[in-house]
Amino acid sequence: MTSTAQAGNALATVIAPLIEGDGIKPTSLPGVSLLCLSRHQARTPLLYEPSLTIIAQGRKIGYLGDREIHYDPGHYLVQTLPLPFECETYGSPEAPLLGISVRLDPALLSEMVTAMGNAVQQAHTPLPMASVAMTEGMQDAVLRLARTLHVSVECSTMGTARIRDVVFEALKSEQGQALRALVMGHGNYSRIVQVLSKLHTHFAQDFSVEQLASQANMSPSTFHQHFKQITRSSPAQYLKRLRLIKAQQLLLQDNHNVNQTAAAVGYRSVPQFSRDYKRYFGEPPLQHRRQEQALRV
């Protein structure tokens, strides 16, 4: 069996020629992105869409409430929900972090879960975000996908099949239950997923716990318990973090000033927005934007 180090080196060798600077960059294959960071990035708030993240070189540590989630060439990240979390990245100019991300397309996931049929359900509540030990099957599938990105005709004809290979391997892992829960549409986990989808679509609106609990068909106390178990935060904390990350995205687009950004994400008070932003990101909105833009140059 190929060792983790050898597999990571092989994937890094394939990915490296496709990299053009730091950041998360889309490829010619929809839903597939490449990651690169040639420096250490201290713990910072992030929001990933539902995806699989495979690291070829370097490592990351995710922080979700009281959980630490390590992913590196020996472990890949399965994220089924777009949860705000914090992440520390380890890379350097000599050995930058390199990786590949595959977005979890709901239609493809539904099709594959249906085709695979019923699986034995585990007793515990699915984790929305977890690292999974790299298997030989996943190593081979990701390497085939990465090689496909080098050849346009192969990408257009075989790209979807290569993505299916990768998703199939994830469905066979211990995180397969969490992926299936997104499709099967029953149980407390699925109810919380529906509430989170609403919050992400209407994050600028105000919601009471009673309103959200009613949507989930739970009592407020039961809803609060299950929400915190899955997201590692209260509904109010979750919505605040979601708004602040959305605000960061708007500010970095450079077409929103602080007042416009605060209003766009649901804040009625600009001073309160600035205080919350500084508390979460460590810098006031405009100063944080200048620092992030300078790092991207």
Side-chain angles (χ1 to χ4, degrees), residues 63-189:
Y63 300 90
L64 182 63
D66 57 354
R67 292 179 59 210
E68 277 193 17
I69 303 162
H70 296 249
Y71 47 120
D72 49 38
H75 298 79
Y76 62 96
L77 182 73
V78 180
Q79 179 148 4
T80 61
L81 302 179
L83 297 178
F85 71 108
E86 296 181 356
C87 186
E88 185 170 11
T89 303
Y90 293 85
S92 67
E94 300 76 24
L97 176 128
L98 299 174
I100 186 166
S101 172
V102 178
R103 181 174 58 85
L104 290 169
D105 177 65
L108 175 62
L109 193 59
S110 179
E111 176 197 337
M112 294 185 69
V113 167
T114 302
M116 291 176 71
N118 294 328
V120 176
Q121 294 297 309
Q122 301 169 4
H124 59 75
T125 300
L127 293 173
M129 178 179 177
S131 65
V132 176
M134 181 64 73
T135 62
E136 189 172 4
M138 180 59 90
Q139 289 171 348
D140 292 343
V142 176
L143 196 54
R144 285 194 299 270
L145 173 62
R147 287 171 175 157
T148 298
L149 298 173
H150 285 264
V151 186
S152 58
V153 65
E154 187 172 341
C155 199
S156 60
T157 56
M158 297 300 296
T160 301
R162 300 291 185 246
I163 291 174
R164 291 176 70 94
D165 286 344
V166 173
V167 175
F168 179 67
E169 293 297 329
L171 280 166
K172 293 194 299 180
S173 76
E174 58 263 36
Q175 271 295 90
Q177 183 189 6
L179 293 168
R180 288 173 176 273
L182 297 178
V183 174
M184 303 311 290
H186 58 260
N188 293 325
Y189 185 83

Side-chain angles (χ1 to χ4, degrees), residues 157-218:
T157 56
M158 297 300 296
T160 301
R162 300 291 185 246
I163 291 174
R164 291 176 70 94
D165 286 344
V166 173
V167 175
F168 179 67
E169 293 297 329
L171 280 166
K172 293 194 299 180
S173 76
E174 58 263 36
Q175 271 295 90
Q177 183 189 6
L179 293 168
R180 288 173 176 273
L182 297 178
V183 174
M184 303 311 290
H186 58 260
N188 293 325
Y189 185 83
S190 182
R191 294 177 187 179
I192 298 299
V193 169
Q194 293 172 13
V195 170
L196 292 174
S197 296
K198 182 172 185 176
L199 291 177
H200 278 258
T201 303
H202 305 288
F203 58 84
Q205 296 181 17
D206 291 325
F207 297 97
S208 67
V209 171
E210 289 75 18
Q211 288 174 316
L212 297 176
S214 177
Q215 181 189 340
N217 197 25
M218 297 178 182

Side-chain angles (χ1 to χ4, degrees), residues 2-13 55-56 73 134-135 139-140 143:
T2 304
S3 72
T4 296
Q6 289 174 323
N9 289 339
L11 182 59
T13 299
I55 302 300
M134 181 64 73
T135 62
Q139 289 171 348
D140 292 343
L143 196 54

Side-chain angles (χ1 to χ4, degrees), residues 29-91:
L29 188 55
V32 178
S33 302
L34 297 177
L35 291 66
C36 179
L37 191 65
S38 57
R39 58 183 172 84
H40 172 255
Q41 185 174 58
R43 185 169 169 172
T44 187
L46 287 178
L47 177 68
Y48 285 170
E49 292 302 311
S51 58
L52 308 173
T53 303
I54 300 94
I55 302 300
Q57 180 173 280
R59 62 189 176 98
K60 284 176 170 281
I61 303 176
Y63 300 90
L64 182 63
D66 57 354
R67 292 179 59 210
E68 277 193 17
I69 303 162
H70 296 249
Y71 47 120
D72 49 38
H75 298 79
Y76 62 96
L77 182 73
V78 180
Q79 179 148 4
T80 61
L81 302 179
L83 297 178
F85 71 108
E86 296 181 356
C87 186
E88 185 170 11
T89 303
Y90 293 85

